[in-house]
Amino acid sequence: MFRIGVISDTHNYLDPRIPNLFASVDHILHGGDIGSTAIVLALEQIAPVTAVAGNTDDPGFHYAQAELVELAGRRFLVQHIVNPQFPAVLLRARLARERPDMVVFGHTHKPFSESIGGTRFFNPGYAGKSRFGLERSVAILHCGDKNIRADYLKL
């Protein structure tokens, strides 16, 4: 079983529980609003990382706006701002062209997991310091031969 740690909206804060929660993952996807590059470097000590820029990230860090990565025989598109019900024109075109199995996103600070039009849209929630009274969370995707099971982990 291939395991993917999914995190977003760290906003320059890496919860000290993350290394233990992600200790057995094979890869980490970060859905943007990372903060400093130190966050990605710390995550890379756990597993390889695919990270994208969020709307609060410094453009000088040169994170990509979106990344397509193949893991466990599946295609994951990672992009920070996504509206699953009404994807932006450029995203719709990319979905049609690249046909990812899952779109991982952040920005809303709310967990989300729903299949729409044959693509699963997934938001792990947010992992930064507590704000707005929302629950903080990350997720682990368990990629089996036939399906992907998601476990949300509260912080």
Side-chain angles (χ1 to χ4, degrees):
M1 172 108 17
F2 194 88
R3 294 165 43 102
I4 302 169
V6 187
I7 188 169
S8 189
D9 297 278
T10 46
H11 293 283
N12 209 32
Y13 173 72
L14 187 63
D15 189 292
R17 292 172 281 192
I18 298 297
N20 285 337
L21 293 173
F22 284 179
S24 64
V25 303
D26 300 292
H27 199 93
I28 297 171
L29 301 176
H30 194 305
D33 278 356
I34 300 161
S36 80
T37 56
I39 300 291
V40 174
L41 293 173
L43 291 171
E44 286 175 339
Q45 297 304 306
I46 303 167
V49 176
T50 300
V52 297
N55 58 301
T56 67
D57 285 317
D58 184 334
F61 291 142
H62 303 291
Y63 299 121
Q65 293 298 309
E67 289 279 357
L68 183 71
V69 61
E70 188 165 326
L71 302 166
R74 293 175 178 89
R75 296 162 63 88
F76 295 85
L77 178 63
V78 186
Q79 182 173 314
H80 185 60
I81 299 175
V82 171
N83 180 338
Q85 285 82 14
F86 303 103
V89 172
L90 290 176
L91 178 57
R92 278 198 315 266
R94 191 162 190 182
L95 292 172
R97 183 177 64 249
E98 297 178 349
R99 301 217 171 274
D101 298 286
M102 183 177 281
V103 175
V104 171
F105 65 103
H107 188 62
T108 65
H109 292 199
K110 296 176 185 172
F112 184 90
S113 181
E114 188 175 326
S115 289
I116 301 171
T119 301
R120 186 166 173 188
F121 290 82
F122 188 82
N123 187 327
Y126 83 105
K129 290 186 178 179
S130 187
R131 299 170 35 172
F132 312 122
L134 296 171
E135 268 189 4
R136 300 166 53 243
S137 62
V138 295
I140 295 181
L141 301 175
H142 304 269
C143 301
D145 291 337
K146 295 187 191 285
N147 64 2
I148 299 174
R149 179 176 53 83
D151 286 335
Y152 284 96
L153 307 172
K154 293 180 182 176
L155 295 173

